[in-house]
Amino acid sequence: MDKERLFELIDILNDASDCYYNQDYEKMSNAEYDRLYDELLELENRLGIVRSDSPSANVGHFISKKLEKFVFDTPMLSLDKTKDIDTLVEFLKEGAGILSYKLDGLTVVITYENGELTSAVTRGNGKVGEVITQNARHFKKFPTKIPYKERLVLRGEAVISYSDFERVNENLNVETFKYKNPRNLCSGTVRALDSSVVSDRGVHFFAFNVVDGFSELNHYSEKLEKLSEMGFEIVNYRKVSEDNLVEIEYEFSKNVVSYPYPVDGLVLLYDDIKFGQNLGNTAKFPRNAIAFKWSDTAEDTVLRDIFWSASRTGRINPIAVFDPVEIEGTSISRASVHNLSTVKSLKLGVGDKIRVYKANMIIPQILENLTGSDSCDVPVNCPVCNERIRIAENMGVQVLYCPNENCTAKNIKSFELFVSRDAFNISGLSTARLEILISNGFVHEFADIFKLYSYKEEISKIDGMGEKSVSNLLEAVEASRDVALSAFVYSLGIKGIGVANANILAGFYKTVDALIMAGKEELLSINNIGEVMADDIIKYFSDKNNINIIYNLVNEVNIREVKSISENKNISGKTFVITGSLKHFANRKALRESIENMGGRVAESVSKNTDFLITNEDNNSSKSKKAAQLGISVITESDIIEMIEET
C-alpha cells in the first residue's frame, strides 16, 4: 500500500509541476504541493525507494521543445531547505554568511566574453537548459556590455514585479486566461519566441552568484558589489553572523510584504567562497548554502460568502469572504479562489469552516475546507450586466466569463476617461476603485457615480474602502456635479473627440440637445471637424443606449452655460502648440481656454498643420526643432497675449 501511494504521489506532483512550469497554470496551491512533497520524501526515506522520475530526484522545469538546448558542464544543484530558524543559526556556526531574498522567478545563467554578452541559458532541469540569449538582451536595466574583459559567468533570477504582473493580466482576454502569479508569467515570458514580449512585460534580472570571474575576490558579497558597480541589479542581501541572524531574518520577513517582486523565502550562503567550496556537495545539494521558507501560519475561520467579481477581461472570479482573522500581523477577511474548478475542488459553501493562510506571507489563500459542504451557488448571470454567464475550459480548468462585449466591467477605460481631469475631474476615483465599484454592482453607467451616496455603508465595508476614504470620495463626486459643457462632451468618450474638439463642439452648439440633433452637413461646416469625425459623432448619437446614458447623466449634474466664442482674426481657425513654462497664465489649461474661446485650437504635438509654437524659452526641445524643420512660426507668451488683446 505504501509503495502504491509513493508512485501515486510521483504522478500527482509531476502533473502539477508540468502544469506550473510548462503550461503556466496552477493546479494546486503551494501549501498543498509542499504537503504532498513532504509525504513523498517520508515514504522514500522509509521505503528506500527513489524512482528516476520522482520530483525529489529532479530540479526545475521540463524543457521546452521550442528553444535550443544547452548542456551544462556541471549540473546545477538545488538547495536544501528548512523552515526552522534554529537550523539557520546552527548553519552559521561554521562561519559568517550572507542572507538574501530567494526571488520567485526563473534562474538564468549569463556569460560574458571580452565585455560582451555571449549567452543566456535557463536553469532547465539542472542538467539541460534553454538558450534565451536574445530575450536576455531585453531584460530591464540589464547591461549587455560591461567594463570587464575576462570571462564572466553569473547566475541570477529573472523576475516580473507584482505591478507589471497585474498590468499584463489586465490586458489578457478570457480565451488566454490569466496567469496565476508573477512566477508563471515570468516563466512563459523569458522562454518566449518573440523577444518583444520580454521587453513589454518588464522582466528584470537580479544577479545572486558569480560562477566564474573576479578571481582575485574571495567573498560573495565582494563579487556582488562588483556586479553592482558594473550596472547589474543584484539580489537584496545582508551580511549575517550567528549573533545577528535572527534579527535580520525578522527584518526580511517584515519587509517582504511591501517588496515589489515575488519572494519564495530566503537563501543563506557562506560568504567565504573557498571555505564553502571545500565543504563539497551531497548527492543533491551543495553544502555551502541553504534555503529558508517561512512557515505558513494558518488560522481557522468561517466562510460567510462567495462573491463573484466581474473583471475587464470578461472573467468572473470567485472571492471568498470570511470572518476576519489576524495572520502575519494583519487582519484578512477575503481571499481569491482563482476559478470555478478551485471552488469545486475545495467543496466550498457558505457557513463552512475553512483554514486560511498567506502564501509567502503575502497572498491570502484557502488552505483547506474543514466542512466540505459543497453547497456554493454558482451564478447564472453576470453580476454587472446581467448577461447569461458561460463556462470556458482550458487544460481541465473551468472559469466563468461574461460574453457581453458591452458589459460595463469590460469598458473600464470609458470610466477612466469620464473621471479624468479634463472631464469630470473626480479625484480619488482611481482605476482600482472604479473596478471595485463596478464589480460590486454599484456602478453600471456614468450617472450611477452620482448615486454612490446610497451605498455609503456597503462601500465602507469593502477592503481598502474605509469610512474616511468613502466620505472623501463622495465629497469629490458632489464637487464635480458642476461641469462645463466642453468637459461634459469630452467625458462621453465619442470616437475622435479630444479636449480641443469637445471645446469647439460645445462653443458651436451651446447645449447638449443641440449637439445630439446635429446633422452631418452642419458638422462639416465647423472648423476642424472632418467627414470621418462627423460620421463618428452622428453614429454615437444614433445609439439609443448612448442617448439614455446621456440624459440619465444630465439629470444628475449641472452643465454650466457656454461662454460665447469671441472671434479673433489672429487666432480663429489657427492651430497652436504650447511648450515650456509660462509666466503670465496660471497654467497651460488657462492659456488653452483663452485660445479656444477666440476660435483657435490647441494641439499636443507639432505637425504640418500647426500655425504657431508658443514658448518662452530659446531651447533645443524636440518641439522647437520640429517647428524649425517645418518652418512654423515660434512666438512667446507675450506675443500670444498681444494677439488675444487685439480686436
Side-chain angles (χ1 to χ4, degrees), residues 21 60-61 103-109 121-124 130 132 139 155-160 182-183 186-191 203-206 208:
Y21 289 110
H61 64 77
L103 295 174
D104 193 15
L106 198 68
T107 300
V108 179
V109 182
V121 182
T122 69
R123 176 187 187 177
E130 299 156 310
I132 50 124
F139 291 165
R155 293 176 187 169
E157 198 80 357
V159 292
I160 290 177
R183 197 263 174 235
C186 187
S187 176
T189 301
V190 170
R191 296 150 61 213
V203 179
H204 285 256
F205 174 84
F206 288 89
F208 60 69

mmCIF file of all heavy atoms in Angstrom, residues 21 60-61 103-109 121-124 130 132 139 155-160 182-183 186-191 203-206 208:
data_model
loop_
_atom_site.group_PDB
_atom_site.id
_atom_site.type_symbol
_atom_site.label_atom_id
_atom_site.label_comp_id
_atom_site.label_asym_id
_atom_site.label_seq_id
_atom_site.Cartn_x
_atom_site.Cartn_y
_atom_site.Cartn_z
ATOM 1 N N TYR A 21 5.029 24.720 -14.594
ATOM 2 C CA TYR A 21 6.217 25.191 -15.297
ATOM 3 C C TYR A 21 6.048 25.283 -16.810
ATOM 4 O O TYR A 21 6.589 26.177 -17.447
ATOM 5 C CB TYR A 21 7.406 24.283 -14.995
ATOM 6 C CG TYR A 21 7.927 24.427 -13.598
ATOM 7 C CD1 TYR A 21 7.752 23.416 -12.663
ATOM 8 C CD2 TYR A 21 8.598 25.573 -13.209
ATOM 9 C CE1 TYR A 21 8.234 23.542 -11.365
ATOM 10 C CE2 TYR A 21 9.082 25.719 -11.918
ATOM 11 C CZ TYR A 21 8.909 24.698 -11.001
ATOM 12 O OH TYR A 21 9.384 24.837 -9.728
ATOM 13 N N GLY A 60 13.897 21.847 -11.120
ATOM 14 C CA GLY A 60 13.425 22.822 -12.092
ATOM 15 C C GLY A 60 12.370 22.291 -13.040
ATOM 16 O O GLY A 60 11.804 21.217 -12.850
ATOM 17 N N HIS A 61 12.104 23.055 -14.114
ATOM 18 C CA HIS A 61 11.015 22.722 -15.026
ATOM 19 C C HIS A 61 11.479 21.820 -16.162
ATOM 20 O O HIS A 61 12.661 21.659 -16.414
ATOM 21 C CB HIS A 61 10.392 24.009 -15.584
ATOM 22 C CG HIS A 61 11.330 24.809 -16.429
ATOM 23 N ND1 HIS A 61 11.640 24.471 -17.717
ATOM 24 C CD2 HIS A 61 12.023 25.952 -16.167
ATOM 25 C CE1 HIS A 61 12.461 25.357 -18.232
ATOM 26 N NE2 HIS A 61 12.720 26.255 -17.312
ATOM 27 N N LEU A 103 14.296 34.992 -4.662
ATOM 28 C CA LEU A 103 13.314 35.510 -5.605
ATOM 29 C C LEU A 103 12.602 34.372 -6.330
ATOM 30 O O LEU A 103 13.202 33.335 -6.648
ATOM 31 C CB LEU A 103 13.985 36.439 -6.616
ATOM 32 C CG LEU A 103 14.583 37.722 -6.018
ATOM 33 C CD1 LEU A 103 15.357 38.488 -7.084
ATOM 34 C CD2 LEU A 103 13.499 38.593 -5.424
ATOM 35 N N ASP A 104 11.326 34.562 -6.599
ATOM 36 C CA ASP A 104 10.498 33.519 -7.198
ATOM 37 C C ASP A 104 10.274 33.828 -8.670
ATOM 38 O O ASP A 104 9.260 34.404 -9.067
ATOM 39 C CB ASP A 104 9.165 33.433 -6.454
ATOM 40 C CG ASP A 104 8.392 32.175 -6.819
ATOM 41 O OD1 ASP A 104 8.997 31.256 -7.398
ATOM 42 O OD2 ASP A 104 7.186 32.114 -6.517
ATOM 43 N N GLY A 105 11.256 33.472 -9.475
ATOM 44 C CA GLY A 105 11.161 33.699 -10.916
ATOM 45 C C GLY A 105 11.744 32.526 -11.667
ATOM 46 O O GLY A 105 11.387 31.379 -11.419
ATOM 47 N N LEU A 106 12.668 32.807 -12.574
ATOM 48 C CA LEU A 106 13.317 31.768 -13.367
ATOM 49 C C LEU A 106 14.819 31.996 -13.306
ATOM 50 O O LEU A 106 15.308 33.070 -13.655
ATOM 51 C CB LEU A 106 12.825 31.838 -14.815
ATOM 52 C CG LEU A 106 13.052 30.595 -15.674
ATOM 53 C CD1 LEU A 106 12.196 29.434 -15.179
ATOM 54 C CD2 LEU A 106 12.703 30.886 -17.129
ATOM 55 N N THR A 107 15.574 30.990 -12.859
ATOM 56 C CA THR A 107 17.025 31.116 -12.751
ATOM 57 C C THR A 107 17.663 31.100 -14.140
ATOM 58 O O THR A 107 17.330 30.264 -14.979
ATOM 59 C CB THR A 107 17.607 29.979 -11.890
ATOM 60 O OG1 THR A 107 17.034 30.057 -10.585
ATOM 61 C CG2 THR A 107 19.117 30.109 -11.775
ATOM 62 N N VAL A 108 18.574 32.049 -14.366
ATOM 63 C CA VAL A 108 19.233 32.182 -15.666
ATOM 64 C C VAL A 108 20.741 32.286 -15.448
ATOM 65 O O VAL A 108 21.205 32.945 -14.518
ATOM 66 C CB VAL A 108 18.734 33.433 -16.418
ATOM 67 C CG1 VAL A 108 19.437 33.576 -17.763
ATOM 68 C CG2 VAL A 108 17.225 33.374 -16.617
ATOM 69 N N VAL A 109 21.515 31.605 -16.310
ATOM 70 C CA VAL A 109 22.977 31.666 -16.277
ATOM 71 C C VAL A 109 23.440 32.572 -17.420
ATOM 72 O O VAL A 109 23.107 32.336 -18.582
ATOM 73 C CB VAL A 109 23.605 30.263 -16.435
ATOM 74 C CG1 VAL A 109 25.126 30.359 -16.351
ATOM 75 C CG2 VAL A 109 23.069 29.324 -15.366
ATOM 76 N N VAL A 121 21.199 31.300 -20.549
ATOM 77 C CA VAL A 121 20.590 29.970 -20.566
ATOM 78 C C VAL A 121 19.748 29.786 -19.306
ATOM 79 O O VAL A 121 20.191 30.116 -18.204
ATOM 80 C CB VAL A 121 21.673 28.862 -20.618
ATOM 81 C CG1 VAL A 121 21.034 27.486 -20.679
ATOM 82 C CG2 VAL A 121 22.600 29.078 -21.804
ATOM 83 N N THR A 122 18.540 29.264 -19.475
ATOM 84 C CA THR A 122 17.718 28.974 -18.298
ATOM 85 C C THR A 122 18.290 27.782 -17.551
ATOM 86 O O THR A 122 19.024 26.965 -18.122
ATOM 87 C CB THR A 122 16.268 28.650 -18.684
ATOM 88 O OG1 THR A 122 16.225 27.394 -19.369
ATOM 89 C CG2 THR A 122 15.679 29.742 -19.563
ATOM 90 N N ARG A 123 17.939 27.667 -16.308
ATOM 91 C CA ARG A 123 18.428 26.561 -15.496
ATOM 92 C C ARG A 123 17.914 25.217 -15.990
ATOM 93 O O ARG A 123 18.557 24.178 -15.823
ATOM 94 C CB ARG A 123 17.970 26.785 -14.051
ATOM 95 C CG ARG A 123 18.321 25.671 -13.095
ATOM 96 C CD ARG A 123 17.663 25.967 -11.764
ATOM 97 N NE ARG A 123 18.078 25.041 -10.736
ATOM 98 C CZ ARG A 123 17.686 25.130 -9.479
ATOM 99 N NH1 ARG A 123 16.883 26.100 -9.118
ATOM 100 N NH2 ARG A 123 18.085 24.260 -8.578
ATOM 101 N N GLY A 124 16.728 25.227 -16.603
ATOM 102 C CA GLY A 124 16.154 23.978 -17.090
ATOM 103 C C GLY A 124 15.968 22.967 -15.982
ATOM 104 O O GLY A 124 15.489 23.286 -14.893
ATOM 105 N N GLU A 130 17.747 26.000 -21.537
ATOM 106 C CA GLU A 130 17.265 26.527 -22.804
ATOM 107 C C GLU A 130 17.960 27.855 -23.100
ATOM 108 O O GLU A 130 18.094 28.715 -22.227
ATOM 109 C CB GLU A 130 15.751 26.748 -22.740
ATOM 110 C CG GLU A 130 14.988 25.461 -22.472
ATOM 111 C CD GLU A 130 13.633 25.731 -21.834
ATOM 112 O OE1 GLU A 130 13.573 26.479 -20.840
ATOM 113 O OE2 GLU A 130 12.641 25.178 -22.344
ATOM 114 N N ILE A 132 18.283 31.469 -24.220
ATOM 115 C CA ILE A 132 17.376 32.619 -24.335
ATOM 116 C C ILE A 132 18.191 33.915 -24.473
ATOM 117 O O ILE A 132 17.791 34.965 -23.964
ATOM 118 C CB ILE A 132 16.439 32.693 -23.114
ATOM 119 C CG1 ILE A 132 17.224 32.590 -21.792
ATOM 120 C CG2 ILE A 132 15.407 31.594 -23.143
ATOM 121 C CD1 ILE A 132 17.029 33.705 -20.858
ATOM 122 N N PHE A 139 15.943 42.309 -21.070
ATOM 123 C CA PHE A 139 15.688 42.467 -19.646
ATOM 124 C C PHE A 139 15.832 43.947 -19.278
ATOM 125 O O PHE A 139 16.715 44.641 -19.793
ATOM 126 C CB PHE A 139 16.680 41.652 -18.809
ATOM 127 C CG PHE A 139 16.506 40.161 -18.899
ATOM 128 C CD1 PHE A 139 17.521 39.312 -18.456
ATOM 129 C CD2 PHE A 139 15.350 39.608 -19.408
ATOM 130 C CE1 PHE A 139 17.370 37.935 -18.525
ATOM 131 C CE2 PHE A 139 15.188 38.226 -19.483
ATOM 132 C CZ PHE A 139 16.207 37.386 -19.047
ATOM 133 N N ARG A 155 25.016 33.826 -12.158
ATOM 134 C CA ARG A 155 23.657 33.315 -12.065
ATOM 135 C C ARG A 155 22.775 34.378 -11.423
ATOM 136 O O ARG A 155 23.228 35.170 -10.607
ATOM 137 C CB ARG A 155 23.603 32.039 -11.221
ATOM 138 C CG ARG A 155 24.301 30.850 -11.853
ATOM 139 C CD ARG A 155 24.295 29.653 -10.930
ATOM 140 N NE ARG A 155 25.095 28.558 -11.454
ATOM 141 C CZ ARG A 155 25.428 27.476 -10.770
ATOM 142 N NH1 ARG A 155 25.041 27.353 -9.499
ATOM 143 N NH2 ARG A 155 26.153 26.530 -11.325
ATOM 144 N N GLY A 156 21.534 34.359 -11.814
ATOM 145 C CA GLY A 156 20.588 35.303 -11.239
ATOM 146 C C GLY A 156 19.171 34.844 -11.498
ATOM 147 O O GLY A 156 18.936 33.813 -12.125
ATOM 148 N N GLU A 157 18.234 35.638 -11.025
ATOM 149 C CA GLU A 157 16.820 35.298 -11.162
ATOM 150 C C GLU A 157 16.133 36.323 -12.045
ATOM 151 O O GLU A 157 16.237 37.545 -11.819
ATOM 152 C CB GLU A 157 16.163 35.268 -9.785
ATOM 153 C CG GLU A 157 14.856 34.519 -9.747
ATOM 154 C CD GLU A 157 15.034 32.998 -9.676
ATOM 155 O OE1 GLU A 157 16.198 32.530 -9.718
ATOM 156 O OE2 GLU A 157 14.024 32.285 -9.583
ATOM 157 N N ALA A 158 15.461 35.838 -13.087
ATOM 158 C CA ALA A 158 14.615 36.703 -13.910
ATOM 159 C C ALA A 158 13.251 36.766 -13.234
ATOM 160 O O ALA A 158 12.655 35.730 -12.928
ATOM 161 C CB ALA A 158 14.490 36.138 -15.323
ATOM 162 N N VAL A 159 12.764 37.967 -12.983
ATOM 163 C CA VAL A 159 11.500 38.133 -12.255
ATOM 164 C C VAL A 159 10.658 39.229 -12.892
ATOM 165 O O VAL A 159 11.160 40.101 -13.593
ATOM 166 C CB VAL A 159 11.737 38.469 -10.767
ATOM 167 C CG1 VAL A 159 12.334 37.298 -10.023
ATOM 168 C CG2 VAL A 159 12.630 39.698 -10.622
ATOM 169 N N ILE A 160 9.364 39.185 -12.608
ATOM 170 C CA ILE A 160 8.425 40.218 -13.023
ATOM 171 C C ILE A 160 7.750 40.757 -11.777
ATOM 172 O O ILE A 160 7.311 39.987 -10.915
ATOM 173 C CB ILE A 160 7.383 39.661 -14.015
ATOM 174 C CG1 ILE A 160 8.064 39.354 -15.356
ATOM 175 C CG2 ILE A 160 6.233 40.630 -14.219
ATOM 176 C CD1 ILE A 160 7.149 38.736 -16.400
ATOM 177 N N PRO A 182 3.161 35.977 -10.658
ATOM 178 C CA PRO A 182 4.272 36.506 -11.465
ATOM 179 C C PRO A 182 5.262 35.449 -11.912
ATOM 180 O O PRO A 182 5.872 35.579 -12.971
ATOM 181 C CB PRO A 182 4.930 37.522 -10.518
ATOM 182 C CG PRO A 182 3.843 37.941 -9.589
ATOM 183 C CD PRO A 182 3.014 36.701 -9.377
ATOM 184 N N ARG A 183 5.428 34.389 -11.113
ATOM 185 C CA ARG A 183 6.383 33.346 -11.477
ATOM 186 C C ARG A 183 5.949 32.630 -12.764
ATOM 187 O O ARG A 183 6.745 32.371 -13.655
ATOM 188 C CB ARG A 183 6.507 32.353 -10.325
ATOM 189 C CG ARG A 183 7.759 31.470 -10.430
ATOM 190 C CD ARG A 183 7.469 30.127 -11.048
ATOM 191 N NE ARG A 183 8.746 29.414 -11.234
ATOM 192 C CZ ARG A 183 9.142 28.938 -12.387
ATOM 193 N NH1 ARG A 183 8.397 29.093 -13.462
ATOM 194 N NH2 ARG A 183 10.295 28.313 -12.505
ATOM 195 N N CYS A 186 6.494 35.018 -15.673
ATOM 196 C CA CYS A 186 7.918 35.162 -15.994
ATOM 197 C C CYS A 186 8.439 33.933 -16.734
ATOM 198 O O CYS A 186 9.195 34.042 -17.696
ATOM 199 C CB CYS A 186 8.718 35.396 -14.714
ATOM 200 S SG CYS A 186 10.446 35.783 -15.006
ATOM 201 N N SER A 187 8.021 32.757 -16.299
ATOM 202 C CA SER A 187 8.477 31.516 -16.920
ATOM 203 C C SER A 187 8.130 31.486 -18.404
ATOM 204 O O SER A 187 8.965 31.168 -19.248
ATOM 205 C CB SER A 187 7.845 30.314 -16.209
ATOM 206 O OG SER A 187 8.191 29.114 -16.851
ATOM 207 N N GLY A 188 6.884 31.859 -18.725
ATOM 208 C CA GLY A 188 6.476 31.867 -20.123
ATOM 209 C C GLY A 188 7.120 32.987 -20.916
ATOM 210 O O GLY A 188 7.451 32.823 -22.087
ATOM 211 N N THR A 189 7.329 34.125 -20.254
ATOM 212 C CA THR A 189 7.872 35.299 -20.939
ATOM 213 C C THR A 189 9.337 35.117 -21.303
ATOM 214 O O THR A 189 9.757 35.388 -22.433
ATOM 215 C CB THR A 189 7.711 36.545 -20.056
ATOM 216 O OG1 THR A 189 6.321 36.731 -19.763
ATOM 217 C CG2 THR A 189 8.258 37.772 -20.749
ATOM 218 N N VAL A 190 10.147 34.679 -20.346
ATOM 219 C CA VAL A 190 11.588 34.518 -20.576
ATOM 220 C C VAL A 190 11.845 33.505 -21.683
ATOM 221 O O VAL A 190 12.816 33.621 -22.431
ATOM 222 C CB VAL A 190 12.295 34.102 -19.270
ATOM 223 C CG1 VAL A 190 13.741 33.694 -19.538
ATOM 224 C CG2 VAL A 190 12.269 35.247 -18.274
ATOM 225 N N ARG A 191 10.973 32.531 -21.819
ATOM 226 C CA ARG A 191 11.163 31.479 -22.822
ATOM 227 C C ARG A 191 10.336 31.733 -24.083
ATOM 228 O O ARG A 191 10.153 30.833 -24.903
ATOM 229 C CB ARG A 191 10.789 30.134 -22.205
ATOM 230 C CG ARG A 191 11.700 29.738 -21.061
ATOM 231 C CD ARG A 191 10.996 28.879 -20.011
ATOM 232 N NE ARG A 191 10.510 27.643 -20.545
ATOM 233 C CZ ARG A 191 9.398 27.046 -20.100
ATOM 234 N NH1 ARG A 191 8.685 27.607 -19.158
ATOM 235 N NH2 ARG A 191 9.029 25.903 -20.612
ATOM 236 N N VAL A 203 10.605 42.297 -17.652
ATOM 237 C CA VAL A 203 11.409 41.308 -16.930
ATOM 238 C C VAL A 203 12.695 41.946 -16.395
ATOM 239 O O VAL A 203 13.401 42.632 -17.128
ATOM 240 C CB VAL A 203 11.777 40.121 -17.849
ATOM 241 C CG1 VAL A 203 12.633 39.109 -17.092
ATOM 242 C CG2 VAL A 203 10.517 39.452 -18.383
ATOM 243 N N HIS A 204 12.989 41.718 -15.127
ATOM 244 C CA HIS A 204 14.237 42.180 -14.510
ATOM 245 C C HIS A 204 15.113 40.974 -14.186
ATOM 246 O O HIS A 204 14.609 39.878 -13.927
ATOM 247 C CB HIS A 204 13.959 42.958 -13.229
ATOM 248 C CG HIS A 204 13.423 44.328 -13.461
ATOM 249 N ND1 HIS A 204 14.174 45.469 -13.317
ATOM 250 C CD2 HIS A 204 12.182 44.741 -13.843
ATOM 251 C CE1 HIS A 204 13.435 46.522 -13.592
ATOM 252 N NE2 HIS A 204 12.219 46.111 -13.918
ATOM 253 N N PHE A 205 16.431 41.196 -14.188
ATOM 254 C CA PHE A 205 17.380 40.146 -13.826
ATOM 255 C C PHE A 205 18.167 40.604 -12.608
ATOM 256 O O PHE A 205 18.813 41.652 -12.634
ATOM 257 C CB PHE A 205 18.335 39.860 -14.988
ATOM 258 C CG PHE A 205 19.445 38.892 -14.652
ATOM 259 C CD1 PHE A 205 19.234 37.526 -14.716
ATOM 260 C CD2 PHE A 205 20.696 39.356 -14.257
ATOM 261 C CE1 PHE A 205 20.258 36.631 -14.406
ATOM 262 C CE2 PHE A 205 21.720 38.476 -13.940
ATOM 263 C CZ PHE A 205 21.500 37.108 -14.012
ATOM 264 N N PHE A 206 18.092 39.822 -11.523
ATOM 265 C CA PHE A 206 18.829 40.119 -10.301
ATOM 266 C C PHE A 206 19.923 39.070 -10.104
ATOM 267 O O PHE A 206 19.628 37.887 -9.906
ATOM 268 C CB PHE A 206 17.901 40.135 -9.090
ATOM 269 C CG PHE A 206 16.980 41.324 -9.048
ATOM 270 C CD1 PHE A 206 15.738 41.279 -9.677
ATOM 271 C CD2 PHE A 206 17.355 42.492 -8.413
ATOM 272 C CE1 PHE A 206 14.890 42.370 -9.663
ATOM 273 C CE2 PHE A 206 16.518 43.599 -8.380
ATOM 274 C CZ PHE A 206 15.283 43.533 -9.007
ATOM 275 N N PHE A 208 22.691 36.830 -8.333
ATOM 276 C CA PHE A 208 22.886 36.374 -6.954
ATOM 277 C C PHE A 208 24.164 35.563 -6.755
ATOM 278 O O PHE A 208 24.508 35.205 -5.632
ATOM 279 C CB PHE A 208 21.671 35.589 -6.445
ATOM 280 C CG PHE A 208 21.314 34.346 -7.230
ATOM 281 C CD1 PHE A 208 22.128 33.223 -7.224
ATOM 282 C CD2 PHE A 208 20.133 34.286 -7.951
ATOM 283 C CE1 PHE A 208 21.792 32.082 -7.925
ATOM 284 C CE2 PHE A 208 19.775 33.143 -8.660
ATOM 285 C CZ PHE A 208 20.615 32.038 -8.643
#
